[in-house]
Amino acid sequence: MIEPQSARILDDAELVHQAKEGSVEAFGELVNRHDRKIFRLTQHITRNREDAEDALQETFLKAYSRLSQFAENSQFYTWLVRIAVNESLMKLRKRKGDASVSLDDPMETEEGFVPREIGDWGNNPEQQYAQQELHEILDRAVHSLPAPFRTVFILRDMEQLSTEETAEALNLSVSAVKSRLLRARLQLREKLNRHFQRGKLSC
Amino acid sequence: MLTCSEVLAELSNYLDNEVSAELRQGLEEHLKDCPNCWVLFDTTRKTIQIFRGTEPYPLPEGLHDKLQEALRKRMEQDPPGQN
């Protein structure tokens, strides 16, 4: 079992440096620091528990094997996310039995772009649901998005990467990230509307 | 005055504070006078806040152990700093 370091809190860059020098503890701390978020990411992309667990494990094994190739002028977490996204998409493609799952698919349709239902939610609409129920509502909503939108949304609004980091992690242009994020957010708003709206406004 | 579709197209950038000062002013003027767009803006902002407020669950115990075991094996085969 690899235990986190108990001394002063080191940042990722220092831990990466130590891990490259041969510190097992430093790499273990990097894993402990990021495993929950990476698992959330693999769960949301694959939408399958077994695939998400495999993708999580593969992500950290690959990160370990490729650590010497990691250029320390970028963020370790962004690099890790990029590996996790690739691993998750591979699982998703395999599960679907074809290669049609692609982040390149622009999906430039009007569907989900023009809002159909507009309703006021009031303050803190999420508080009307118990924690577990809220999680299920949110998970279902994210999982219903097409993969190209889902992935951008997870990185930008759940993992809170910047637009540029998201573009880098997904190998997309900044404008593609922005356009997909807008569509993802509008679609999610629409899906949550039925749970959260207080009363309908006339259009 | 911006149209509703122009506002919709910039909604995400506005929420991310990635619009010019001039465009921001145009958007804010529209939002002040258009209840539908305001609600759309407000509920999209709340959508983002709700997701941002969620914390990832801790790894299930079994999965945590499985991951640590897989890493331990890999590190034994291929000690750090050697690859």
Side-chain angles (χ1 to χ4, degrees), chain A residues 2 20 36 40 49 64-65 121-122 135 142 156-157 163 178 185 189 201, chain B residues 12 16 18 40 43-44 46-48 52 54 57 60 74 78-80 83:
Chain A
I2 302 155
K20 280 185 172 183
R36 294 192 306 168
R40 178 168 71 171
R49 178 62 182 260
Y64 178 74
S65 301
W121 291 2
H135 265 281
V142 172
R156 278 290 285 116
D157 285 337
T163 304
K178 287 187 175 188
R185 285 170 168 176
R189 188 210 68 84
L201 293 183
Chain B
S12 209
D16 290 337
E18 291 180 358
L40 196 59
T43 50
T44 307
K46 283 172 180 159
T47 298
I48 299 166
R52 291 201 162 184
T54 60
Y57 289 128
R74 178 64 60 92
D78 189 7
N83 44 26

PDB file of all heavy atoms in Angstrom, chain A residues 2 20 36 40 49 64-65 121-122 135 142 156-157 163 178 185 189 201, chain B residues 12 16 18 40 43-44 46-48 52 54 57 60 74 78-80 83:
ATOM      1  N   ILE A   2       0.497   2.169  -0.852  1.00  0.00           N
ATOM      2  CA  ILE A   2       1.300   3.388  -0.956  1.00  0.00           C
ATOM      3  C   ILE A   2       0.632   4.487  -0.133  1.00  0.00           C
ATOM      4  O   ILE A   2      -0.506   4.862  -0.406  1.00  0.00           O
ATOM      5  CB  ILE A   2       1.417   3.818  -2.430  1.00  0.00           C
ATOM      6  CG1 ILE A   2       2.045   2.687  -3.243  1.00  0.00           C
ATOM      7  CG2 ILE A   2       2.246   5.087  -2.556  1.00  0.00           C
ATOM      8  CD1 ILE A   2       1.683   2.733  -4.698  1.00  0.00           C
ATOM      9  N   LYS A  20      10.016  11.186 -10.751  1.00  0.00           N
ATOM     10  CA  LYS A  20      10.968  10.936 -11.852  1.00  0.00           C
ATOM     11  C   LYS A  20      12.344  10.543 -11.319  1.00  0.00           C
ATOM     12  O   LYS A  20      13.081   9.825 -11.979  1.00  0.00           O
ATOM     13  CB  LYS A  20      11.095  12.191 -12.724  1.00  0.00           C
ATOM     14  CG  LYS A  20       9.957  12.368 -13.713  1.00  0.00           C
ATOM     15  CD  LYS A  20      10.236  13.550 -14.605  1.00  0.00           C
ATOM     16  CE  LYS A  20       9.233  13.643 -15.736  1.00  0.00           C
ATOM     17  NZ  LYS A  20       9.524  14.741 -16.650  1.00  0.00           N
ATOM     18  N   ARG A  36      -9.864  10.264  -7.248  1.00  0.00           N
ATOM     19  CA  ARG A  36     -11.319  10.445  -7.189  1.00  0.00           C
ATOM     20  C   ARG A  36     -11.842  11.210  -8.404  1.00  0.00           C
ATOM     21  O   ARG A  36     -12.868  10.873  -8.981  1.00  0.00           O
ATOM     22  CB  ARG A  36     -11.708  11.229  -5.921  1.00  0.00           C
ATOM     23  CG  ARG A  36     -11.407  10.458  -4.667  1.00  0.00           C
ATOM     24  CD  ARG A  36     -12.043  11.078  -3.455  1.00  0.00           C
ATOM     25  NE  ARG A  36     -11.688  12.489  -3.292  1.00  0.00           N
ATOM     26  CZ  ARG A  36     -12.295  13.309  -2.445  1.00  0.00           C
ATOM     27  NH1 ARG A  36     -13.304  12.871  -1.714  1.00  0.00           N
ATOM     28  NH2 ARG A  36     -11.911  14.548  -2.328  1.00  0.00           N
ATOM     29  N   ARG A  40     -14.281   9.901 -11.430  1.00  0.00           N
ATOM     30  CA  ARG A  40     -15.517  10.582 -11.822  1.00  0.00           C
ATOM     31  C   ARG A  40     -15.522  10.828 -13.339  1.00  0.00           C
ATOM     32  O   ARG A  40     -16.525  10.633 -14.019  1.00  0.00           O
ATOM     33  CB  ARG A  40     -15.645  11.906 -11.062  1.00  0.00           C
ATOM     34  CG  ARG A  40     -16.889  12.675 -11.455  1.00  0.00           C
ATOM     35  CD  ARG A  40     -17.192  13.821 -10.537  1.00  0.00           C
ATOM     36  NE  ARG A  40     -16.247  14.916 -10.680  1.00  0.00           N
ATOM     37  CZ  ARG A  40     -16.405  16.105 -10.108  1.00  0.00           C
ATOM     38  NH1 ARG A  40     -17.444  16.336  -9.337  1.00  0.00           N
ATOM     39  NH2 ARG A  40     -15.521  17.055 -10.285  1.00  0.00           N
ATOM     40  N   ARG A  49     -19.675   1.184 -15.180  1.00  0.00           N
ATOM     41  CA  ARG A  49     -18.845   1.068 -13.987  1.00  0.00           C
ATOM     42  C   ARG A  49     -17.559   0.253 -14.217  1.00  0.00           C
ATOM     43  O   ARG A  49     -16.470   0.661 -13.840  1.00  0.00           O
ATOM     44  CB  ARG A  49     -19.696   0.440 -12.874  1.00  0.00           C
ATOM     45  CG  ARG A  49     -18.998   0.202 -11.571  1.00  0.00           C
ATOM     46  CD  ARG A  49     -18.509   1.517 -10.962  1.00  0.00           C
ATOM     47  NE  ARG A  49     -17.810   1.250  -9.739  1.00  0.00           N
ATOM     48  CZ  ARG A  49     -18.350   1.388  -8.524  1.00  0.00           C
ATOM     49  NH1 ARG A  49     -19.564   1.827  -8.387  1.00  0.00           N
ATOM     50  NH2 ARG A  49     -17.641   1.112  -7.455  1.00  0.00           N
ATOM     51  N   TYR A  64       2.337   6.306 -15.038  1.00  0.00           N
ATOM     52  CA  TYR A  64       3.565   5.835 -14.402  1.00  0.00           C
ATOM     53  C   TYR A  64       4.608   5.450 -15.454  1.00  0.00           C
ATOM     54  O   TYR A  64       5.762   5.887 -15.385  1.00  0.00           O
ATOM     55  CB  TYR A  64       3.257   4.637 -13.489  1.00  0.00           C
ATOM     56  CG  TYR A  64       4.483   4.062 -12.846  1.00  0.00           C
ATOM     57  CD1 TYR A  64       5.115   4.727 -11.806  1.00  0.00           C
ATOM     58  CD2 TYR A  64       5.044   2.870 -13.309  1.00  0.00           C
ATOM     59  CE1 TYR A  64       6.268   4.221 -11.236  1.00  0.00           C
ATOM     60  CE2 TYR A  64       6.194   2.358 -12.740  1.00  0.00           C
ATOM     61  CZ  TYR A  64       6.799   3.039 -11.707  1.00  0.00           C
ATOM     62  OH  TYR A  64       7.951   2.540 -11.157  1.00  0.00           O
ATOM     63  N   SER A  65       4.181   4.681 -16.439  1.00  0.00           N
ATOM     64  CA  SER A  65       5.120   4.224 -17.467  1.00  0.00           C
ATOM     65  C   SER A  65       5.660   5.362 -18.313  1.00  0.00           C
ATOM     66  O   SER A  65       6.786   5.304 -18.788  1.00  0.00           O
ATOM     67  CB  SER A  65       4.446   3.222 -18.405  1.00  0.00           C
ATOM     68  OG  SER A  65       3.984   2.137 -17.679  1.00  0.00           O
ATOM     69  N   TRP A 121     -36.271  29.041 -11.845  1.00  0.00           N
ATOM     70  CA  TRP A 121     -35.955  27.969 -10.896  1.00  0.00           C
ATOM     71  C   TRP A 121     -35.985  28.429  -9.436  1.00  0.00           C
ATOM     72  O   TRP A 121     -35.895  27.593  -8.538  1.00  0.00           O
ATOM     73  CB  TRP A 121     -34.549  27.396 -11.172  1.00  0.00           C
ATOM     74  CG  TRP A 121     -34.445  26.631 -12.435  1.00  0.00           C
ATOM     75  CD1 TRP A 121     -35.426  26.420 -13.358  1.00  0.00           C
ATOM     76  CD2 TRP A 121     -33.283  25.962 -12.924  1.00  0.00           C
ATOM     77  NE1 TRP A 121     -34.944  25.662 -14.400  1.00  0.00           N
ATOM     78  CE2 TRP A 121     -33.627  25.370 -14.162  1.00  0.00           C
ATOM     79  CE3 TRP A 121     -31.985  25.805 -12.455  1.00  0.00           C
ATOM     80  CZ2 TRP A 121     -32.715  24.633 -14.915  1.00  0.00           C
ATOM     81  CZ3 TRP A 121     -31.068  25.079 -13.203  1.00  0.00           C
ATOM     82  CH2 TRP A 121     -31.440  24.497 -14.427  1.00  0.00           C
ATOM     83  N   GLY A 122     -36.009  29.716  -9.220  1.00  0.00           N
ATOM     84  CA  GLY A 122     -35.887  30.194  -7.840  1.00  0.00           C
ATOM     85  C   GLY A 122     -34.462  30.012  -7.336  1.00  0.00           C
ATOM     86  O   GLY A 122     -33.586  29.565  -8.080  1.00  0.00           O
ATOM     87  N   HIS A 135     -27.656  13.672  -7.040  1.00  0.00           N
ATOM     88  CA  HIS A 135     -26.548  13.069  -7.790  1.00  0.00           C
ATOM     89  C   HIS A 135     -27.069  12.252  -8.966  1.00  0.00           C
ATOM     90  O   HIS A 135     -26.513  12.287 -10.056  1.00  0.00           O
ATOM     91  CB  HIS A 135     -25.699  12.178  -6.873  1.00  0.00           C
ATOM     92  CG  HIS A 135     -24.509  12.898  -6.314  1.00  0.00           C
ATOM     93  ND1 HIS A 135     -23.363  13.103  -7.049  1.00  0.00           N
ATOM     94  CD2 HIS A 135     -24.300  13.487  -5.123  1.00  0.00           C
ATOM     95  CE1 HIS A 135     -22.505  13.773  -6.307  1.00  0.00           C
ATOM     96  NE2 HIS A 135     -23.031  14.031  -5.141  1.00  0.00           N
ATOM     97  N   VAL A 142     -26.003  14.383 -17.422  1.00  0.00           N
ATOM     98  CA  VAL A 142     -24.699  14.407 -18.105  1.00  0.00           C
ATOM     99  C   VAL A 142     -24.582  13.218 -19.055  1.00  0.00           C
ATOM    100  O   VAL A 142     -24.129  13.360 -20.191  1.00  0.00           O
ATOM    101  CB  VAL A 142     -23.526  14.381 -17.093  1.00  0.00           C
ATOM    102  CG1 VAL A 142     -22.198  14.216 -17.798  1.00  0.00           C
ATOM    103  CG2 VAL A 142     -23.502  15.676 -16.290  1.00  0.00           C
ATOM    104  N   ARG A 156     -14.630  21.132 -18.426  1.00  0.00           N
ATOM    105  CA  ARG A 156     -14.744  22.569 -18.121  1.00  0.00           C
ATOM    106  C   ARG A 156     -15.523  22.834 -16.828  1.00  0.00           C
ATOM    107  O   ARG A 156     -15.079  23.618 -15.998  1.00  0.00           O
ATOM    108  CB  ARG A 156     -15.454  23.293 -19.282  1.00  0.00           C
ATOM    109  CG  ARG A 156     -14.572  23.654 -20.440  1.00  0.00           C
ATOM    110  CD  ARG A 156     -13.572  24.774 -20.105  1.00  0.00           C
ATOM    111  NE  ARG A 156     -14.180  26.085 -20.042  1.00  0.00           N
ATOM    112  CZ  ARG A 156     -14.258  26.835 -18.943  1.00  0.00           C
ATOM    113  NH1 ARG A 156     -13.774  26.393 -17.807  1.00  0.00           N
ATOM    114  NH2 ARG A 156     -14.818  28.018 -18.985  1.00  0.00           N
ATOM    115  N   ASP A 157     -16.669  22.219 -16.692  1.00  0.00           N
ATOM    116  CA  ASP A 157     -17.546  22.612 -15.582  1.00  0.00           C
ATOM    117  C   ASP A 157     -17.513  21.669 -14.385  1.00  0.00           C
ATOM    118  O   ASP A 157     -17.949  22.043 -13.306  1.00  0.00           O
ATOM    119  CB  ASP A 157     -18.989  22.772 -16.080  1.00  0.00           C
ATOM    120  CG  ASP A 157     -19.148  24.067 -16.883  1.00  0.00           C
ATOM    121  OD1 ASP A 157     -18.329  24.983 -16.684  1.00  0.00           O
ATOM    122  OD2 ASP A 157     -20.077  24.161 -17.701  1.00  0.00           O
ATOM    123  N   THR A 163     -10.566  26.880 -20.535  1.00  0.00           N
ATOM    124  CA  THR A 163     -10.887  26.597 -21.938  1.00  0.00           C
ATOM    125  C   THR A 163      -9.635  26.090 -22.660  1.00  0.00           C
ATOM    126  O   THR A 163      -9.695  25.115 -23.418  1.00  0.00           O
ATOM    127  CB  THR A 163     -11.392  27.891 -22.621  1.00  0.00           C
ATOM    128  OG1 THR A 163     -12.498  28.381 -21.868  1.00  0.00           O
ATOM    129  CG2 THR A 163     -11.832  27.643 -24.052  1.00  0.00           C
ATOM    130  N   LYS A 178     -15.449  26.022 -27.025  1.00  0.00           N
ATOM    131  CA  LYS A 178     -16.473  27.004 -26.634  1.00  0.00           C
ATOM    132  C   LYS A 178     -17.831  26.649 -27.227  1.00  0.00           C
ATOM    133  O   LYS A 178     -18.862  26.757 -26.560  1.00  0.00           O
ATOM    134  CB  LYS A 178     -16.058  28.401 -27.091  1.00  0.00           C
ATOM    135  CG  LYS A 178     -14.918  28.970 -26.260  1.00  0.00           C
ATOM    136  CD  LYS A 178     -14.670  30.394 -26.654  1.00  0.00           C
ATOM    137  CE  LYS A 178     -13.623  31.010 -25.746  1.00  0.00           C
ATOM    138  NZ  LYS A 178     -13.483  32.451 -25.984  1.00  0.00           N
ATOM    139  N   ARG A 185     -24.080  23.049 -22.133  1.00  0.00           N
ATOM    140  CA  ARG A 185     -24.722  23.752 -21.019  1.00  0.00           C
ATOM    141  C   ARG A 185     -26.204  23.985 -21.295  1.00  0.00           C
ATOM    142  O   ARG A 185     -27.046  23.824 -20.399  1.00  0.00           O
ATOM    143  CB  ARG A 185     -24.029  25.098 -20.801  1.00  0.00           C
ATOM    144  CG  ARG A 185     -22.662  24.970 -20.119  1.00  0.00           C
ATOM    145  CD  ARG A 185     -21.929  26.300 -20.163  1.00  0.00           C
ATOM    146  NE  ARG A 185     -20.758  26.330 -19.291  1.00  0.00           N
ATOM    147  CZ  ARG A 185     -19.915  27.360 -19.232  1.00  0.00           C
ATOM    148  NH1 ARG A 185     -20.103  28.426 -20.006  1.00  0.00           N
ATOM    149  NH2 ARG A 185     -18.884  27.326 -18.408  1.00  0.00           N
ATOM    150  N   ARG A 189     -29.205  22.445 -19.125  1.00  0.00           N
ATOM    151  CA  ARG A 189     -30.200  23.354 -18.537  1.00  0.00           C
ATOM    152  C   ARG A 189     -31.611  22.865 -18.860  1.00  0.00           C
ATOM    153  O   ARG A 189     -32.476  22.798 -18.007  1.00  0.00           O
ATOM    154  CB  ARG A 189     -30.002  24.774 -19.071  1.00  0.00           C
ATOM    155  CG  ARG A 189     -30.844  25.826 -18.384  1.00  0.00           C
ATOM    156  CD  ARG A 189     -31.193  26.962 -19.313  1.00  0.00           C
ATOM    157  NE  ARG A 189     -32.108  26.518 -20.362  1.00  0.00           N
ATOM    158  CZ  ARG A 189     -33.433  26.440 -20.216  1.00  0.00           C
ATOM    159  NH1 ARG A 189     -34.002  26.779 -19.077  1.00  0.00           N
ATOM    160  NH2 ARG A 189     -34.182  26.006 -21.210  1.00  0.00           N
ATOM    161  N   LEU A 201     -42.854  30.578 -17.648  1.00  0.00           N
ATOM    162  CA  LEU A 201     -43.105  31.930 -18.139  1.00  0.00           C
ATOM    163  C   LEU A 201     -43.748  31.819 -19.513  1.00  0.00           C
ATOM    164  O   LEU A 201     -43.526  30.860 -20.234  1.00  0.00           O
ATOM    165  CB  LEU A 201     -41.788  32.705 -18.291  1.00  0.00           C
ATOM    166  CG  LEU A 201     -41.016  33.038 -17.015  1.00  0.00           C
ATOM    167  CD1 LEU A 201     -39.801  33.854 -17.388  1.00  0.00           C
ATOM    168  CD2 LEU A 201     -41.872  33.811 -16.043  1.00  0.00           C
TER     169      LEU A 201
ATOM    170  N   SER B  12     -22.623  31.467 -23.094  1.00  0.00           N
ATOM    171  CA  SER B  12     -21.567  30.717 -22.431  1.00  0.00           C
ATOM    172  C   SER B  12     -20.321  31.593 -22.232  1.00  0.00           C
ATOM    173  O   SER B  12     -19.722  31.605 -21.154  1.00  0.00           O
ATOM    174  CB  SER B  12     -21.246  29.525 -23.317  1.00  0.00           C
ATOM    175  OG  SER B  12     -20.787  28.455 -22.603  1.00  0.00           O
ATOM    176  N   ASP B  16     -18.572  32.885 -18.723  1.00  0.00           N
ATOM    177  CA  ASP B  16     -17.157  32.616 -18.452  1.00  0.00           C
ATOM    178  C   ASP B  16     -16.321  33.896 -18.446  1.00  0.00           C
ATOM    179  O   ASP B  16     -15.097  33.828 -18.370  1.00  0.00           O
ATOM    180  CB  ASP B  16     -16.595  31.654 -19.518  1.00  0.00           C
ATOM    181  CG  ASP B  16     -17.157  30.255 -19.356  1.00  0.00           C
ATOM    182  OD1 ASP B  16     -17.598  29.931 -18.243  1.00  0.00           O
ATOM    183  OD2 ASP B  16     -17.150  29.493 -20.339  1.00  0.00           O
ATOM    184  N   GLU B  18     -15.718  35.866 -20.861  1.00  0.00           N
ATOM    185  CA  GLU B  18     -14.827  35.869 -22.029  1.00  0.00           C
ATOM    186  C   GLU B  18     -15.438  36.686 -23.168  1.00  0.00           C
ATOM    187  O   GLU B  18     -15.469  36.252 -24.316  1.00  0.00           O
ATOM    188  CB  GLU B  18     -14.547  34.423 -22.476  1.00  0.00           C
ATOM    189  CG  GLU B  18     -13.689  33.653 -21.474  1.00  0.00           C
ATOM    190  CD  GLU B  18     -13.398  32.212 -21.875  1.00  0.00           C
ATOM    191  OE1 GLU B  18     -13.879  31.763 -22.922  1.00  0.00           O
ATOM    192  OE2 GLU B  18     -12.681  31.536 -21.107  1.00  0.00           O
ATOM    193  N   LEU B  40     -33.219  32.387 -18.977  1.00  0.00           N
ATOM    194  CA  LEU B  40     -32.322  31.434 -19.632  1.00  0.00           C
ATOM    195  C   LEU B  40     -30.887  31.598 -19.113  1.00  0.00           C
ATOM    196  O   LEU B  40     -30.203  30.622 -18.792  1.00  0.00           O
ATOM    197  CB  LEU B  40     -32.362  31.693 -21.147  1.00  0.00           C
ATOM    198  CG  LEU B  40     -31.802  30.608 -22.042  1.00  0.00           C
ATOM    199  CD1 LEU B  40     -32.539  29.307 -21.835  1.00  0.00           C
ATOM    200  CD2 LEU B  40     -31.926  31.052 -23.502  1.00  0.00           C
ATOM    201  N   THR B  43     -30.835  30.424 -15.330  1.00  0.00           N
ATOM    202  CA  THR B  43     -30.925  28.977 -15.111  1.00  0.00           C
ATOM    203  C   THR B  43     -29.685  28.264 -15.678  1.00  0.00           C
ATOM    204  O   THR B  43     -29.271  27.244 -15.137  1.00  0.00           O
ATOM    205  CB  THR B  43     -32.223  28.395 -15.726  1.00  0.00           C
ATOM    206  OG1 THR B  43     -32.343  28.838 -17.077  1.00  0.00           O
ATOM    207  CG2 THR B  43     -33.436  28.842 -14.955  1.00  0.00           C
ATOM    208  N   THR B  44     -29.083  28.819 -16.719  1.00  0.00           N
ATOM    209  CA  THR B  44     -27.838  28.223 -17.227  1.00  0.00           C
ATOM    210  C   THR B  44     -26.721  28.447 -16.204  1.00  0.00           C
ATOM    211  O   THR B  44     -25.921  27.548 -15.926  1.00  0.00           O
ATOM    212  CB  THR B  44     -27.450  28.819 -18.589  1.00  0.00           C
ATOM    213  OG1 THR B  44     -28.564  28.700 -19.475  1.00  0.00           O
ATOM    214  CG2 THR B  44     -26.260  28.096 -19.199  1.00  0.00           C
ATOM    215  N   LYS B  46     -27.150  28.740 -13.011  1.00  0.00           N
ATOM    216  CA  LYS B  46     -27.407  27.830 -11.886  1.00  0.00           C
ATOM    217  C   LYS B  46     -27.029  26.395 -12.238  1.00  0.00           C
ATOM    218  O   LYS B  46     -26.530  25.650 -11.393  1.00  0.00           O
ATOM    219  CB  LYS B  46     -28.876  27.908 -11.461  1.00  0.00           C
ATOM    220  CG  LYS B  46     -29.160  29.164 -10.653  1.00  0.00           C
ATOM    221  CD  LYS B  46     -30.631  29.367 -10.385  1.00  0.00           C
ATOM    222  CE  LYS B  46     -30.836  30.654  -9.572  1.00  0.00           C
ATOM    223  NZ  LYS B  46     -32.195  31.176  -9.699  1.00  0.00           N
ATOM    224  N   THR B  47     -27.260  26.008 -13.494  1.00  0.00           N
ATOM    225  CA  THR B  47     -26.867  24.661 -13.937  1.00  0.00           C
ATOM    226  C   THR B  47     -25.368  24.455 -13.684  1.00  0.00           C
ATOM    227  O   THR B  47     -24.952  23.452 -13.106  1.00  0.00           O
ATOM    228  CB  THR B  47     -27.164  24.491 -15.449  1.00  0.00           C
ATOM    229  OG1 THR B  47     -28.567  24.629 -15.658  1.00  0.00           O
ATOM    230  CG2 THR B  47     -26.703  23.140 -15.970  1.00  0.00           C
ATOM    231  N   ILE B  48     -24.586  25.437 -14.110  1.00  0.00           N
ATOM    232  CA  ILE B  48     -23.135  25.331 -13.952  1.00  0.00           C
ATOM    233  C   ILE B  48     -22.754  25.299 -12.468  1.00  0.00           C
ATOM    234  O   ILE B  48     -21.947  24.474 -12.039  1.00  0.00           O
ATOM    235  CB  ILE B  48     -22.432  26.506 -14.669  1.00  0.00           C
ATOM    236  CG1 ILE B  48     -22.746  26.474 -16.168  1.00  0.00           C
ATOM    237  CG2 ILE B  48     -20.917  26.468 -14.438  1.00  0.00           C
ATOM    238  CD1 ILE B  48     -22.388  27.752 -16.899  1.00  0.00           C
ATOM    239  N   ARG B  52     -20.718  22.462 -10.485  1.00  0.00           N
ATOM    240  CA  ARG B  52     -19.438  22.840  -9.874  1.00  0.00           C
ATOM    241  C   ARG B  52     -19.426  22.557  -8.383  1.00  0.00           C
ATOM    242  O   ARG B  52     -18.365  22.361  -7.794  1.00  0.00           O
ATOM    243  CB  ARG B  52     -19.145  24.321 -10.122  1.00  0.00           C
ATOM    244  CG  ARG B  52     -18.840  24.569 -11.582  1.00  0.00           C
ATOM    245  CD  ARG B  52     -18.069  25.828 -11.817  1.00  0.00           C
ATOM    246  NE  ARG B  52     -17.483  25.742 -13.152  1.00  0.00           N
ATOM    247  CZ  ARG B  52     -16.676  26.629 -13.671  1.00  0.00           C
ATOM    248  NH1 ARG B  52     -16.325  27.690 -12.971  1.00  0.00           N
ATOM    249  NH2 ARG B  52     -16.184  26.466 -14.871  1.00  0.00           N
ATOM    250  N   THR B  54     -20.633  19.977  -6.927  1.00  0.00           N
ATOM    251  CA  THR B  54     -20.577  18.556  -6.570  1.00  0.00           C
ATOM    252  C   THR B  54     -19.132  18.108  -6.399  1.00  0.00           C
ATOM    253  O   THR B  54     -18.276  18.459  -7.183  1.00  0.00           O
ATOM    254  CB  THR B  54     -21.240  17.657  -7.645  1.00  0.00           C
ATOM    255  OG1 THR B  54     -20.542  17.856  -8.879  1.00  0.00           O
ATOM    256  CG2 THR B  54     -22.703  17.979  -7.835  1.00  0.00           C
ATOM    257  N   TYR B  57     -17.065  11.483  -5.235  1.00  0.00           N
ATOM    258  CA  TYR B  57     -17.084  10.553  -4.106  1.00  0.00           C
ATOM    259  C   TYR B  57     -15.697   9.961  -3.905  1.00  0.00           C
ATOM    260  O   TYR B  57     -14.950   9.805  -4.870  1.00  0.00           O
ATOM    261  CB  TYR B  57     -18.034   9.387  -4.396  1.00  0.00           C
ATOM    262  CG  TYR B  57     -19.491   9.738  -4.386  1.00  0.00           C
ATOM    263  CD1 TYR B  57     -20.307   9.405  -5.463  1.00  0.00           C
ATOM    264  CD2 TYR B  57     -20.064  10.381  -3.292  1.00  0.00           C
ATOM    265  CE1 TYR B  57     -21.663   9.717  -5.459  1.00  0.00           C
ATOM    266  CE2 TYR B  57     -21.419  10.684  -3.286  1.00  0.00           C
ATOM    267  CZ  TYR B  57     -22.209  10.354  -4.369  1.00  0.00           C
ATOM    268  OH  TYR B  57     -23.537  10.646  -4.358  1.00  0.00           O
ATOM    269  N   PRO B  60     -14.431   3.723  -4.011  1.00  0.00           N
ATOM    270  CA  PRO B  60     -14.869   2.592  -3.178  1.00  0.00           C
ATOM    271  C   PRO B  60     -13.641   1.824  -2.668  1.00  0.00           C
ATOM    272  O   PRO B  60     -12.630   1.740  -3.382  1.00  0.00           O
ATOM    273  CB  PRO B  60     -15.665   1.730  -4.162  1.00  0.00           C
ATOM    274  CG  PRO B  60     -16.000   2.623  -5.310  1.00  0.00           C
ATOM    275  CD  PRO B  60     -14.940   3.673  -5.363  1.00  0.00           C
ATOM    276  N   ARG B  74       3.280  -3.008 -10.851  1.00  0.00           N
ATOM    277  CA  ARG B  74       3.972  -2.326 -11.952  1.00  0.00           C
ATOM    278  C   ARG B  74       5.297  -1.721 -11.481  1.00  0.00           C
ATOM    279  O   ARG B  74       6.317  -1.785 -12.153  1.00  0.00           O
ATOM    280  CB  ARG B  74       3.069  -1.243 -12.552  1.00  0.00           C
ATOM    281  CG  ARG B  74       3.695  -0.440 -13.674  1.00  0.00           C
ATOM    282  CD  ARG B  74       4.014  -1.276 -14.901  1.00  0.00           C
ATOM    283  NE  ARG B  74       2.835  -1.907 -15.477  1.00  0.00           N
ATOM    284  CZ  ARG B  74       2.102  -1.358 -16.443  1.00  0.00           C
ATOM    285  NH1 ARG B  74       2.449  -0.207 -16.955  1.00  0.00           N
ATOM    286  NH2 ARG B  74       1.044  -1.975 -16.912  1.00  0.00           N
ATOM    287  N   ASP B  78       8.988  -2.547 -12.768  1.00  0.00           N
ATOM    288  CA  ASP B  78       9.594  -1.437 -13.480  1.00  0.00           C
ATOM    289  C   ASP B  78       9.802  -0.290 -12.478  1.00  0.00           C
ATOM    290  O   ASP B  78       8.964   0.597 -12.372  1.00  0.00           O
ATOM    291  CB  ASP B  78       8.557  -1.034 -14.563  1.00  0.00           C
ATOM    292  CG  ASP B  78       9.108  -0.025 -15.535  1.00  0.00           C
ATOM    293  OD1 ASP B  78      10.295   0.264 -15.480  1.00  0.00           O
ATOM    294  OD2 ASP B  78       8.303   0.476 -16.352  1.00  0.00           O
ATOM    295  N   PRO B  79      10.882  -0.345 -11.705  1.00  0.00           N
ATOM    296  CA  PRO B  79      11.044   0.636 -10.627  1.00  0.00           C
ATOM    297  C   PRO B  79      11.048   2.075 -11.148  1.00  0.00           C
ATOM    298  O   PRO B  79      11.477   2.318 -12.270  1.00  0.00           O
ATOM    299  CB  PRO B  79      12.408   0.290 -10.030  1.00  0.00           C
ATOM    300  CG  PRO B  79      12.705  -1.082 -10.499  1.00  0.00           C
ATOM    301  CD  PRO B  79      12.027  -1.249 -11.813  1.00  0.00           C
ATOM    302  N   PRO B  80      10.543   3.009 -10.322  1.00  0.00           N
ATOM    303  CA  PRO B  80      10.466   4.394 -10.772  1.00  0.00           C
ATOM    304  C   PRO B  80      11.842   4.978 -11.068  1.00  0.00           C
ATOM    305  O   PRO B  80      12.836   4.583 -10.471  1.00  0.00           O
ATOM    306  CB  PRO B  80       9.807   5.125  -9.597  1.00  0.00           C
ATOM    307  CG  PRO B  80       9.956   4.229  -8.427  1.00  0.00           C
ATOM    308  CD  PRO B  80      10.040   2.839  -8.955  1.00  0.00           C
ATOM    309  N   ASN B  83      12.417   4.241 -16.120  1.00  0.00           N
ATOM    310  CA  ASN B  83      11.780   4.171 -17.438  1.00  0.00           C
ATOM    311  C   ASN B  83      12.061   5.419 -18.267  1.00  0.00           C
ATOM    312  O   ASN B  83      12.654   6.360 -17.809  1.00  0.00           O
ATOM    313  CB  ASN B  83      10.270   3.934 -17.304  1.00  0.00           C
ATOM    314  CG  ASN B  83       9.646   4.796 -16.233  1.00  0.00           C
ATOM    315  OD1 ASN B  83      10.171   5.865 -15.914  1.00  0.00           O
ATOM    316  ND2 ASN B  83       8.559   4.336 -15.645  1.00  0.00           N
TER     317      ASN B  83
END
